Amino acid sequence: MTDHTRRTVLRGAAAVAAAGGLAGAGARAAVAAPQTPKTHRFPFLEGAFKPVTEELTAFDLPVTGRIPRELNGRYLRNGPNVLGLEDPRAHHWMLGDGMVHGVRLRDGRAEWYRNRWVRSSQVAKKLGEPYPGPVPPDDFPCNTHVIPYRGRILTLQESGPLPYELDDELNTVGTYDFRGTLKGPLTAHTKFDVHAGELHAIAYYPTWDHVRHLVIDPTGRVSRTTRIPVADAPMIHDFALTEHHVIILDMPVTFDPAGAERGDIVPYVWNDKHPARVGVLPRKGGTVRWFEVDPVYYSHTLNAYEEGSEIVVDMTNFDAPFFVAGNGSGGPYGASTPRLDRWTIDLRHGRVRTRTLDDRPQEFPRVNEALVSRRHRYGYSAASAEMAQAYMTVDGNPPDRAFSNALIKQDLLRGTTQVHRLPRGAAASEAVFVPREHSSAEDDGYAIAYVHNPDRGASDLVILAAQDFTGEPVARIHLPGRVPLGFHGSWIPDA
């Protein structure tokens, strides 16, 4: 494979990773905003997606309401924020350079806000900064997730790049390879089982004939790697974990070698010849048992758990087909907006039952992290009008309710939904659940999310009481600038 093709492959893998200031703000770096022809529309460079051009630092942020004093830590969220774009026609949203936005809370105060680009070699070069040490293989400014891991803050990307570690003030420390034991890609969506102290991943790469299940043990080392043969090099963005099993979602979005050779922005295509199937792998390793399903494009799993001889997986799905590159980045992307589905894998009878839990357009489902791999009752997701419009359906007419902004709480035991509605133009990012100290109820805590404030032309960090989800926010922390719509984040409590 030529260097050019290899770079194109990696860009494509990154691309499917699948989507005015206040007083006291100071800029660390500025880059000219991308100039786009008025005759063309680039939805992921406009509106709520528009990249910011400065790194800001602001202290003692103004607050409406009262920040709970028990919230001591940092809320961080990652997302693509392209730096120095020359030609918007050669750009895909998910190829943007990773930028982490963070708010530091302590003792009822919002001490600071920071946003920082992840300093990969190419970002450092664009900013005119030195890059310490040799450039790692498949280097990329991880733009998809940011997680805490054993006292470290790691930014994640799938299919190639190593995680980048950040310090407590979001400065880039360097790549992290789990004490030299990570050989190859990780994933954007690791699963941490608090009961076992294990971090799990399903890793894929465009030129592999398999995917890998990785287990990182309590010592922080990759202790086991299981290779799982697959055909056509599918894109596996997310997976699910239960107490005893790993759930692999092998759907018909596969690598396109001809597209990579042509230099396509995203060399992944909908492949009708690739069977849709779900794999169940014992966590301790062994043989995968596969179950065929009707084709969909899954985007993210909420959680999974075991119930007797059945495995329950909750996730957000698009109807088939789904075009990862938006049919050449001009849209449409899919035949529907994403909805919340439940798949029940019946191990005894060898079948999968599927049903829709909520057909309201929604994305980025999250659960109380203490329940990853165990039975959950509640889930939290976000509905963003601009997200729905950017992923326009094939007929160009998604349901009217797709054009609303809201945070959503699902009670999956009762089958009920609570919706915290947001104003027009108030684009909402992913909502992360933060438990109260010494809480006993699953939903005793807070849902926190970045929400655009159209009146200020900037963003707020909104804190909702999860048990009073439709009520007024407990607090709105007013940030000095916008947080563009992006991907995933984490609450990182003080040790």
Side-chain angles (χ1 to χ4, degrees), residues 3-68:
D3 287 343
H4 171 75
T5 302
R6 183 176 180 79
R7 288 196 301 271
T8 304
V9 167
L10 295 174
R11 287 176 56 200
V16 295
L22 297 171
R28 288 249 315 245
V31 180
Q35 301 296 313
T36 60
K38 293 183 179 180
T39 55
H40 296 280
R41 183 171 180 267
F42 302 96
F44 291 116
L45 294 171
E46 302 168 1
F49 294 95
K50 185 177 180 180
V52 296
T53 59
E54 295 178 321
E55 292 183 322
L56 303 176
T57 302
F59 300 97
D60 295 322
L61 306 174
V63 179
T64 298
R66 181 171 295 181
I67 301 170

Side-chain angles (χ1 to χ4, degrees), residues 114-398:
R114 287 179 166 87
N115 63 319
R116 298 291 185 267
W117 274 288
V118 177
R119 259 56 172 189
S120 67
S121 58
Q122 53 265 55
V123 167
K125 181 178 180 180
K126 292 176 186 177
L127 293 174
E129 300 174 358
Y131 182 82
V135 177
D138 303 342
D139 191 33
F140 188 82
C142 302
N143 70 15
T144 310
H145 208 343
V146 54
I147 64 168
Y149 182 70
R150 302 197 176 281
R152 302 176 187 270
I153 299 172
L154 303 180
T155 62
L156 303 181
Q157 189 81 28
E158 65 202 61
S159 193
L162 286 172
Y164 266 94
E165 181 181 354
L166 308 180
D167 68 16
D168 288 346
E169 296 185 342
L170 309 190
N171 302 303
T172 300
V173 176
T175 56
Y176 185 69
D177 61 4
F178 297 92
R179 302 171 68 181
T181 62
L182 178 61
K183 307 299 183 182
L186 191 64
T187 182
H189 288 286
T190 54
K191 310 293 181 188
F192 184 73
D193 182 342
V194 299
H195 304 278
E198 294 176 345
L199 189 70
H200 290 250
I202 292 291
Y204 73 96
Y205 196 74
T207 59
W208 286 354
D209 61 359
H210 63 279
V211 297
R212 298 176 183 176
H213 171 228
L214 308 177
V215 181
I216 301 167
D217 67 20
T219 71
R221 297 174 180 269
V222 179
S223 61
R224 187 170 65 255
T225 300
T226 302
R227 297 193 177 197
I228 304 159
V230 295
D232 306 321
M235 186 269 301
I236 299 183
H237 177 60
D238 202 353
F239 71 106
L241 188 71
T242 70
E243 185 176 359
H244 300 103
H245 298 94
V246 182
I247 312 305
I248 303 133
L249 300 164
D250 180 8
M251 297 295 122
V253 173
T254 63
F255 178 59
D256 178 18
E261 291 292 342
R262 287 193 305 268
D264 288 359
I265 297 175
V266 184
Y268 279 81
V269 296
W270 183 266
N271 183 353
D272 284 319
K273 297 180 180 179
H274 185 85
R277 58 182 188 162
V278 179
V280 178
L281 170 73
R283 273 176 58 159
K284 294 182 179 180
T287 302
V288 179
R289 185 178 176 187
W290 292 103
F291 301 79
E292 289 194 5
V293 294
D294 291 334
V296 297
Y297 174 74
Y298 76 96
S299 54
H300 298 100
T301 59
L302 170 65
N303 195 31
Y305 60 88
E306 296 161 14
E307 194 169 54
S309 62
E310 297 183 332
I311 295 172
V312 176
V313 186
D314 293 339
M315 57 189 175
T316 48
N317 287 329
F318 291 81
D319 286 332
F322 184 83
F323 304 104
V324 178
N327 275 347
S329 293
Y333 283 76
S336 69
T337 48
R339 63 184 179 272
L340 184 65
D341 285 350
R342 169 166 290 181
W343 290 8
T344 302
I345 306 169
D346 186 335
L347 299 176
R348 180 178 301 168
H349 298 100
R351 62 191 180 193
V352 180
R353 303 190 307 273
T354 66
R355 67 185 178 99
T356 294
L357 299 173
D358 185 4
D359 65 357
R360 177 184 293 104
Q362 59 195 282
E363 251 288 24
F364 307 130
R366 295 297 294 262
V367 71
N368 183 330
E369 296 291 307
L371 295 176
V372 168
S373 78
R374 302 304 196 270
R375 183 169 186 147
H376 62 279
R377 174 175 176 177
Y378 300 104
Y380 306 87
S381 55
S384 171
E386 289 200 46
M387 183 77 73
Q389 289 171 319
Y391 284 92
M392 189 69 72
T393 54
V394 172
D395 63 6
N397 294 297

